[in-house]
């Protein structure tokens, strides 16, 4: 594998949000091969759970709350966390998220 592609979507859409977009994309970006450390830390701290593989062996999925993930997204966007930059960041949707909003994190092996 040479890199990872992260895709973060809203896992459960609140009824008042409507369903014009499916899935509701919050962010997507590429990380180098060492870029899994942040999600591994969330899992180790009990702040995220790895889900059984449903799509393919090239994709790992995790579920976490917005309160744990959004600060990481914003630090990526500002460039303060690491060298990777978020390629797509949906700020209007991010502002709709409550702290308890469940998010789905899909991690694709770009091998």
């Amino acid at each position: 594998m040479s890199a990872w592609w992260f895709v973060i979507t809203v896992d459960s859409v609140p009824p008042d949000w409507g369903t014009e977009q499916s899935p509701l994309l919050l962010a997507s970006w590429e990380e180098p091969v060492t870029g899994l450390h942040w999600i591994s830390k969330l899992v180790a701290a009990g702040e995220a759970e790895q889900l059984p593989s449903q799509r393919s062996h090239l994709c790992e999925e995790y579920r976490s709350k917005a309160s744990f993930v959004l600060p990481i997204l914003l630090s990526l966007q500002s460039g303060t966390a690491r060298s990777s930059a978020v390629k797509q960041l949906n700020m209007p949707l991010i502002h709709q998220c409550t702290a308890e909003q469940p998010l789905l994190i899909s991690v694709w092996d770009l091998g």
Side-chain angles (χ1 to χ4, degrees):
M1 112 197 52
S2 60
W4 299 101
W5 186 259
F6 287 86
V7 177
I8 300 180
T9 56
V10 174
D11 191 32
S12 299
V13 180
D16 60 332
W17 282 20
T19 56
E20 305 84 40
Q21 305 171 17
S22 183
L24 296 173
L25 180 69
L26 289 177
S28 64
W29 74 96
E30 183 177 335
E31 285 277 355
V33 72
T34 58
L36 280 179
H37 66 284
W38 70 271
I39 192 71
S40 298
K41 286 182 181 179
L42 289 179
V43 170
E47 298 171 345
E49 64 174 319
Q50 186 170 6
L51 304 174
S53 181
Q54 305 257 341
R55 295 187 190 193
S56 93
H57 68 282
L58 298 176
C59 181
E60 297 177 22
E61 292 185 313
Y62 302 84
R63 184 175 291 122
S64 186
K65 293 180 183 177
S67 60
F68 301 127
V69 177
L70 295 185
I72 295 167
L73 290 182
L74 297 175
S75 70
L76 284 170
Q77 181 63 24
S78 69
T80 58
R82 50 184 86 63
S83 60
S84 296
V86 175
K87 304 293 185 206
Q88 186 172 9
L89 190 65
N90 186 340
M91 291 306 291
L93 187 57
I94 286 171
H95 290 301
Q96 281 185 272
C97 290
T98 65
E100 296 297 310
Q101 177 67 50
L103 303 180
L104 181 67
I105 304 150
S106 301
V107 183
W108 291 90
D109 182 347
L110 297 179

